[in-house]
Amino acid sequence: MTNPRETSPSGNARPESTPPETETGFVTTRREGRVAVITLNRPEALNAITIAMAAELARVVRALEVDDSVGCLLIRGEGRHFCAGADIKEAIPVAFPRTLTGNYLADLGTLGECRKPVVAVVSGAALGGGCELALMCDMILADETARFGLPEIRLGTMPGAGGTQRLPQAIGKARAMEMALTGRPMDAAEAQSAGLLTRIVPAGRLQDEAMALARSIAEASLPAAMAIKEAIAVTPDGLTQGLRLERRLFHALYATADRREGMEAFSEKRTAVFQHK
Ligand code: CAA
């Protein structure tokens, strides 16, 4: 039998042919009373998310959403980092037609559709899709090591899981533009002053404080909590359209030579040379 945690020589989670339905073992859950803790558990790749992991995360979130014994979700990353985004090495050979037919990485968005409160617990990198996952959550608790950013431009691509829509909502257009167009990350202090974080907690206390917060929410009346989330999270009419436009542009960039060059350069640990086509 195949070990679900087995990695390919490239460091990818699974061989190319593995269907997304297969459990990767890279998304784990545990329960503490009415709190469900979701852990991105692939620390050797800074919890970078493969297609199969995104599908697994989506399944987990959907199951917890309809489980009445769960009042609050908490999402964290195993190891020193929250999540370094989509798995760039897996993405290199992905071709534009496959992004369309497979609705590439659309599963990442499921967390943002969850109707129960979700707390993100962020240490280290929350970059690209990792930053976008944090942005989908209702509250972000971070320690001093946290860094938030959308570095996709450096890969010749763009955010594809809501970053272009939710970051400007969270911190305003001017700062979001700078971050997405330069790839410069914010440290925890800047993220706090920009209004991205609920609070910064010293590293040694982060998990406990996040759990205490999640527990206090989970013990409240679930219908009331869900109603409050729905009311506060009411978004401008354009969000759904914006997310769809972002995804299709994100997919379209898989047809460019620059996107492939950017991702190959990352995997070969060299600077990308873009041809602007
Ligand atoms: N995909 C695949 N592998 C990744 C990865 C990613 N997103 N991020 C890190 N890794 C791997 C590295 O390749 C490395 O593997 P090897 O040991 O086999 O070389 C391992 O994880 C450790 O990473 P580093 O050696 O790079 O660690 P570092 O401490 O020097 O740097 C970092 C940390 C700054 C976060 C750096 O890893 C980094 O820049 N990662 C990529 C971040 C990024 O560009 N994310 C966007 C992805 S695209 C996306 O998310 C699209 C979307 O919108 C959905």
Side-chain angles (χ1 to χ4, degrees):
M1 220 174 101
T2 317
N3 175 355
R5 293 208 41 123
E6 214 165 70
T7 53
S8 69
S10 68
N12 287 348
R14 310 282 305 172
E16 266 284 292
S17 58
T18 304
E21 290 73 26
T22 308
E23 281 192 18
T24 63
F26 292 138
V27 179
T28 60
T29 53
R30 70 181 169 83
R31 291 288 301 276
E32 264 192 48
R34 289 178 56 76
V35 178
V37 179
I38 302 172
T39 299
L40 303 173
N41 194 2
R42 197 186 165 213
E44 61 278 14
L46 317 191
N47 301 318
I49 297 181
T50 61
I51 297 168
M53 261 174 95
E56 199 166 339
L57 179 62
R59 275 197 302 278
V60 161
V61 169
R62 282 194 205 102
L64 295 172
E65 191 181 41
V66 296
D67 181 343
D68 285 342
S69 69
V70 172
C72 185
L73 281 60
L74 189 152
I75 182 163
R76 60 184 289 277
E78 188 62 36
R80 291 186 302 112
H81 298 276
F82 178 70
C83 172
D87 189 304
I88 298 165
K89 295 167 191 169
E90 179 188 61
I92 291 171
V94 172
F96 171 58
R98 190 174 149 211
T99 65
L100 279 180
T101 55
N103 211 3
Y104 180 55
L105 287 180
D107 281 329
L108 266 183
T110 302
L111 187 68
E113 292 159 14
C114 180
R115 294 177 58 230
K116 288 180 178 169
V118 187
V119 177
V121 187
V122 177
S123 297
L127 297 177
C131 181
E132 293 173 295
L133 279 180
L135 287 166
M136 289 175 209
C137 299
D138 303 303
M139 286 153 284
I140 305 175
L141 263 58
D143 68 24
E144 310 87 337
T145 67
R147 268 174 304 141
F148 299 84
L150 298 176
E152 288 89 345
I153 186 129
R154 295 180 182 167
L155 301 168
T157 180
M158 67 178 282
T164 65
Q165 307 301 301
R166 293 192 179 95
L167 192 63
Q169 269 179 26
I171 67 170
K173 176 184 154 190
R175 280 202 260 207
M177 278 285 184
E178 190 221 347
M179 285 178 66
L181 289 174
T182 67
R184 180 184 74 81
M186 292 193 291
D187 64 16
E190 187 181 354
Q192 167 86 333
S193 74
L196 197 66
L197 306 184
T198 301
R199 58 179 174 269
I200 301 175
V201 180
R205 297 215 321 267
L206 181 62
Q207 302 296 329
D208 286 350
E209 278 216 25
M211 180 53 75
L213 173 67
R215 201 179 293 119
S216 75
I217 296 164
E219 283 162 6
S221 159
L222 181 58
M226 290 177 72
I228 289 166
K229 167 164 178 165
E230 186 165 340
I232 291 182
V234 142
T235 48
D237 292 343
L239 182 68
T240 309
Q241 292 283 16
L243 290 173
R244 184 168 301 160
L245 172 69
E246 177 197 76
R247 183 169 306 146
R248 289 306 172 220
L249 291 170
F250 169 67
H251 288 164
L253 289 177
Y254 275 73
T256 69
D258 282 348
R259 189 282 308 174
R260 190 162 181 131
E261 162 62 12
M263 292 188 163
E264 282 177 353
F266 173 82
S267 119
E268 292 161 13
K269 300 185 191 289
R270 61 174 174 79
T271 305
V273 181
F274 294 124
Q275 304 292 330
H276 314 293
K277 58 186 184 191

